[in-house]
Amino acid sequence: MIGIIFGPPGSGKGTQAAKIEKEFDLKHLSTGDILRSEVASGSPTGKEAGRIMAAGDLVPDELIVDIVRMRLPEAEAGRGVLLDGFPRTERQAQALDAMLADEGHRVDFVIALEVPEPELVDRLLHRAKVEGRADDTRKAITERMHEYHKLTEAVLDHYRRQGVPVQLVDGRGAPDEVFERIRQAIGISSR
Ligand code: B4P
């Protein structure tokens, strides 16, 4: 089973992915987490990615696609994969489809979290105080929202056109309440 957890910055993708991974025994692949560990390692890729992320922009498609291409086969070896933060552009979606098709696989479901923008901004500013993430400044958050509307939202139509079930899930409320909605949505998608 190949699933995607999708949503704007701060919608709870990472939070919910950890719960979905446990409940459905899927391997969680977060491009944001992978990039942050590259940044922490101080590698040349990490240095380039760190500058881009801190400004709130998306890192180049080629870099992200290479990262996923290296990790996907190992993740696919298990019961299934949950992609978090990828694909974020139409080109990334096309590259993912091609990678999966090579293995005779396809995306089985997309869970799209919906949260109003003022609440997203509040959550990220709150996280800035707790975790001090470089991209949780007001300026970077504005840019991340802009990139989401400009480039990322189109990924949903990409999968709708292919007939992949895209389930819109209300991302407001306590994390456990949101997870309950996701559990039901995945149940419907995998029937
Ligand atoms: P990500 O790591 O994916 O960051 P994100 O969109 O902010 O989501 P995240 O998962 O961290 O936060 P969550 O919503 O769970 O990406 C970071 C950057 O990496 C991108 O901006 C980009 O530069 C780069 N990048 C990553 N993937 C890329 C790709 N494919 N292509 C190009 N560039 C890429 O949670 C946010 C906060 O809300 C947390 O503090 C959480 O505790 C809180 N929260 C969660 N659920 C809540 C709830 N129900 N109620 C209240 N608060 C909640």
Side-chain angles (χ1 to χ4, degrees):
M1 181 151 63
I2 312 283
I4 297 174
I5 179 92
F6 186 93
S11 55
K13 299 184 294 289
T15 306
Q16 296 299 329
K19 295 175 185 288
I20 300 169
E21 174 178 39
K22 237 170 146 185
E23 171 97 9
F24 293 92
D25 194 19
L26 301 177
K27 176 85 183 135
H28 175 201
L29 208 61
S30 156
T31 44
D33 287 350
I34 295 166
L35 287 171
R36 280 185 287 279
S37 65
E38 277 291 330
V39 174
S41 78
S43 69
T45 303
K47 282 187 182 137
E48 189 199 340
R51 275 193 296 274
I52 297 169
M53 290 163 77
D57 292 322
L58 295 179
V59 307
D61 288 333
E62 302 71 44
L63 194 151
I64 281 289
V65 168
D66 282 349
I67 283 177
V68 174
R69 185 171 287 122
M70 271 182 340
R71 286 166 169 85
L72 196 59
E74 193 194 327
E76 275 184 298
R79 232 176 74 75
V81 183
L82 180 69
L83 293 162
D84 162 9
F86 178 87
R88 252 174 158 107
T89 65
E90 176 101 38
R91 278 187 60 199
Q92 292 180 17
Q94 288 162 355
L96 172 66
D97 296 346
M99 280 184 247
L100 292 175
D102 283 346
E103 303 296 322
H105 295 159
R106 60 179 299 223
V107 173
D108 294 298
F109 67 84
V110 179
I111 299 291
L113 294 171
E114 296 188 301
V115 177
E117 194 151 319
E119 181 166 341
L120 295 173
V121 174
D122 283 351
R123 286 185 189 183
L124 295 172
L125 290 175
H126 174 73
R127 184 170 67 186
K129 286 190 201 135
V130 181
E131 294 179 22
R133 236 171 77 168
D135 56 348
D136 284 341
T137 61
R138 202 173 270 278
K139 192 160 172 254
I141 292 168
T142 305
E143 179 61 15
R144 286 159 69 193
M145 296 299 171
H146 176 71
E147 295 275 271
Y148 175 78
H149 294 305
K150 193 172 81 176
L151 295 167
T152 308
E153 263 175 345
V155 170
L156 288 185
D157 279 333
H158 172 92
Y159 285 111
R160 284 191 184 111
R161 281 196 299 272
Q162 292 184 12
V164 173
V166 173
Q167 303 273 0
L168 304 180
V169 171
D170 184 354
R172 291 170 304 173
D176 282 344
E177 284 167 23
V178 177
F179 179 62
E180 191 44 43
R181 293 177 203 132
I182 292 177
R183 223 165 52 80
Q184 287 177 18
I186 294 179
I188 293 167
S189 302
S190 53
R191 244 177 241 157

Short mmCIF file of all heavy atoms in Angstrom, two decimals, residues 11-38:
data_model
loop_
_atom_site.label_atom_id
_atom_site.label_comp_id
_atom_site.label_asym_id
_atom_site.label_seq_id
_atom_site.Cartn_x
_atom_site.Cartn_y
_atom_site.Cartn_z
N SER A 11 -0.15 21.77 8.86
CA SER A 11 -1.48 21.14 8.91
C SER A 11 -1.48 19.88 9.76
O SER A 11 -2.54 19.32 10.03
CB SER A 11 -1.98 20.84 7.50
OG SER A 11 -1.04 20.07 6.80
N GLY A 12 -0.29 19.39 10.15
CA GLY A 12 -0.23 18.21 11.02
C GLY A 12 0.23 16.95 10.30
O GLY A 12 0.03 15.85 10.80
N LYS A 13 0.88 17.12 9.15
CA LYS A 13 1.32 15.95 8.38
C LYS A 13 2.24 15.06 9.21
O LYS A 13 2.03 13.86 9.34
CB LYS A 13 2.06 16.36 7.10
CG LYS A 13 1.24 17.18 6.13
CD LYS A 13 2.00 17.48 4.86
CE LYS A 13 3.21 18.38 5.06
NZ LYS A 13 2.86 19.78 5.37
N GLY A 14 3.30 15.69 9.75
CA GLY A 14 4.27 14.91 10.53
C GLY A 14 3.63 14.29 11.76
O GLY A 14 3.89 13.13 12.09
N THR A 15 2.79 15.06 12.42
CA THR A 15 2.10 14.60 13.64
C THR A 15 1.24 13.38 13.33
O THR A 15 1.28 12.36 14.04
CB THR A 15 1.19 15.74 14.18
OG1 THR A 15 1.99 16.91 14.34
CG2 THR A 15 0.53 15.37 15.49
N GLN A 16 0.46 13.46 12.26
CA GLN A 16 -0.45 12.36 11.92
C GLN A 16 0.30 11.19 11.29
O GLN A 16 -0.09 10.03 11.49
CB GLN A 16 -1.56 12.86 10.97
CG GLN A 16 -2.47 13.90 11.60
CD GLN A 16 -3.20 13.37 12.83
OE1 GLN A 16 -3.51 12.18 12.93
NE2 GLN A 16 -3.48 14.25 13.78
N ALA A 17 1.37 11.48 10.56
CA ALA A 17 2.11 10.39 9.90
C ALA A 17 2.63 9.40 10.94
O ALA A 17 2.61 8.18 10.72
CB ALA A 17 3.27 10.96 9.08
N ALA A 18 3.07 9.92 12.08
CA ALA A 18 3.59 9.03 13.13
C ALA A 18 2.49 8.08 13.61
O ALA A 18 2.74 6.90 13.88
CB ALA A 18 4.12 9.87 14.29
N LYS A 19 1.26 8.57 13.69
CA LYS A 19 0.14 7.73 14.15
C LYS A 19 -0.27 6.73 13.07
O LYS A 19 -0.54 5.56 13.36
CB LYS A 19 -1.07 8.62 14.51
CG LYS A 19 -0.81 9.55 15.70
CD LYS A 19 -2.02 10.48 15.90
CE LYS A 19 -1.78 11.50 16.99
NZ LYS A 19 -1.79 10.92 18.34
N ILE A 20 -0.30 7.19 11.82
CA ILE A 20 -0.70 6.30 10.71
C ILE A 20 0.32 5.17 10.56
O ILE A 20 -0.03 4.01 10.35
CB ILE A 20 -0.80 7.09 9.38
CG1 ILE A 20 -1.83 8.21 9.50
CG2 ILE A 20 -1.14 6.17 8.22
CD1 ILE A 20 -1.81 9.21 8.34
N GLU A 21 1.60 5.54 10.68
CA GLU A 21 2.67 4.55 10.54
C GLU A 21 2.45 3.39 11.50
O GLU A 21 2.55 2.22 11.14
CB GLU A 21 4.01 5.24 10.82
CG GLU A 21 5.20 4.28 10.86
CD GLU A 21 6.53 4.99 11.10
OE1 GLU A 21 6.56 5.94 11.91
OE2 GLU A 21 7.52 4.59 10.49
N LYS A 22 2.11 3.75 12.75
CA LYS A 22 1.92 2.73 13.79
C LYS A 22 0.67 1.88 13.52
O LYS A 22 0.74 0.66 13.53
CB LYS A 22 1.71 3.45 15.13
CG LYS A 22 2.71 3.05 16.20
CD LYS A 22 2.55 3.98 17.33
CE LYS A 22 2.76 3.43 18.68
NZ LYS A 22 2.41 4.50 19.65
N GLU A 23 -0.44 2.55 13.26
CA GLU A 23 -1.72 1.84 13.12
C GLU A 23 -1.76 0.95 11.88
O GLU A 23 -2.30 -0.15 11.91
CB GLU A 23 -2.86 2.87 13.07
CG GLU A 23 -4.21 2.29 12.70
CD GLU A 23 -5.07 2.00 13.91
OE1 GLU A 23 -4.69 2.40 15.02
OE2 GLU A 23 -6.15 1.39 13.71
N PHE A 24 -1.19 1.44 10.76
CA PHE A 24 -1.32 0.70 9.50
C PHE A 24 -0.03 -0.01 9.09
O PHE A 24 0.04 -0.56 7.99
CB PHE A 24 -1.79 1.65 8.38
CG PHE A 24 -3.20 2.15 8.60
CD1 PHE A 24 -3.43 3.33 9.27
CD2 PHE A 24 -4.29 1.41 8.15
CE1 PHE A 24 -4.73 3.79 9.48
CE2 PHE A 24 -5.59 1.86 8.36
CZ PHE A 24 -5.81 3.05 9.03
N ASP A 25 0.97 0.04 9.96
CA ASP A 25 2.23 -0.65 9.69
C ASP A 25 2.85 -0.22 8.35
O ASP A 25 3.23 -1.05 7.52
CB ASP A 25 1.97 -2.17 9.73
CG ASP A 25 3.27 -2.95 9.79
OD1 ASP A 25 4.29 -2.36 10.17
OD2 ASP A 25 3.26 -4.15 9.44
N LEU A 26 2.89 1.09 8.14
CA LEU A 26 3.49 1.62 6.92
C LEU A 26 4.83 2.26 7.26
O LEU A 26 5.01 2.75 8.37
CB LEU A 26 2.58 2.69 6.29
CG LEU A 26 1.16 2.25 5.90
CD1 LEU A 26 0.37 3.42 5.36
CD2 LEU A 26 1.21 1.14 4.87
N LYS A 27 5.74 2.26 6.31
CA LYS A 27 7.03 2.91 6.54
C LYS A 27 6.89 4.40 6.23
O LYS A 27 6.50 4.77 5.12
CB LYS A 27 8.06 2.24 5.62
CG LYS A 27 9.41 2.85 5.66
CD LYS A 27 10.25 2.29 6.79
CE LYS A 27 11.59 3.00 6.83
NZ LYS A 27 12.03 3.41 8.12
N HIS A 28 7.20 5.23 7.22
CA HIS A 28 7.02 6.69 7.08
C HIS A 28 8.26 7.31 6.43
O HIS A 28 9.36 7.18 6.95
CB HIS A 28 6.80 7.26 8.50
CG HIS A 28 6.72 8.76 8.55
ND1 HIS A 28 6.96 9.46 9.71
CD2 HIS A 28 6.42 9.68 7.63
CE1 HIS A 28 6.81 10.75 9.50
NE2 HIS A 28 6.49 10.91 8.24
N LEU A 29 8.04 7.96 5.29
CA LEU A 29 9.15 8.62 4.60
C LEU A 29 8.84 10.12 4.53
O LEU A 29 7.94 10.53 3.79
CB LEU A 29 9.25 8.03 3.18
CG LEU A 29 10.59 8.01 2.48
CD1 LEU A 29 11.60 7.18 3.25
CD2 LEU A 29 10.42 7.41 1.09
N SER A 30 9.55 10.92 5.33
CA SER A 30 9.30 12.37 5.36
C SER A 30 10.48 13.10 4.70
O SER A 30 11.60 13.04 5.20
CB SER A 30 9.15 12.84 6.82
OG SER A 30 9.46 14.22 6.93
N THR A 31 10.21 13.78 3.59
CA THR A 31 11.31 14.48 2.92
C THR A 31 11.80 15.64 3.79
O THR A 31 12.99 15.96 3.78
CB THR A 31 10.89 14.97 1.51
OG1 THR A 31 9.59 15.55 1.58
CG2 THR A 31 10.90 13.83 0.52
N GLY A 32 10.90 16.25 4.57
CA GLY A 32 11.33 17.33 5.47
C GLY A 32 12.33 16.80 6.50
O GLY A 32 13.38 17.41 6.73
N ASP A 33 12.02 15.63 7.11
CA ASP A 33 12.94 15.05 8.11
C ASP A 33 14.28 14.68 7.47
O ASP A 33 15.34 14.90 8.07
CB ASP A 33 12.32 13.77 8.72
CG ASP A 33 11.18 14.09 9.68
OD1 ASP A 33 10.99 15.28 10.01
OD2 ASP A 33 10.47 13.14 10.09
N ILE A 34 14.21 14.10 6.27
CA ILE A 34 15.47 13.69 5.60
C ILE A 34 16.32 14.93 5.32
O ILE A 34 17.53 14.95 5.56
CB ILE A 34 15.16 12.93 4.29
CG1 ILE A 34 14.45 11.60 4.60
CG2 ILE A 34 16.44 12.67 3.48
CD1 ILE A 34 13.82 10.91 3.40
N LEU A 35 15.66 16.00 4.84
CA LEU A 35 16.41 17.23 4.54
C LEU A 35 17.01 17.82 5.81
O LEU A 35 18.16 18.25 5.82
CB LEU A 35 15.50 18.26 3.87
CG LEU A 35 15.11 17.96 2.42
CD1 LEU A 35 14.03 18.93 1.95
CD2 LEU A 35 16.33 18.06 1.50
N ARG A 36 16.23 17.81 6.91
CA ARG A 36 16.77 18.39 8.16
C ARG A 36 17.96 17.58 8.66
O ARG A 36 18.91 18.13 9.19
CB ARG A 36 15.66 18.49 9.23
CG ARG A 36 14.77 19.71 9.03
CD ARG A 36 13.76 19.88 10.15
NE ARG A 36 12.70 18.90 10.06
CZ ARG A 36 11.64 18.99 9.26
NH1 ARG A 36 11.48 20.04 8.48
NH2 ARG A 36 10.72 18.04 9.25
N SER A 37 17.96 16.25 8.43
CA SER A 37 19.14 15.50 8.89
C SER A 37 20.33 15.77 7.97
O SER A 37 21.48 15.77 8.42
CB SER A 37 18.84 14.00 9.07
OG SER A 37 18.55 13.41 7.86
N GLU A 38 20.07 16.03 6.68
CA GLU A 38 21.16 16.44 5.77
C GLU A 38 21.76 17.77 6.24
O GLU A 38 22.97 17.95 6.25
CB GLU A 38 20.65 16.63 4.34
CG GLU A 38 20.54 15.37 3.51
CD GLU A 38 21.90 14.75 3.15
OE1 GLU A 38 22.88 15.49 3.01
OE2 GLU A 38 21.95 13.51 3.04
#
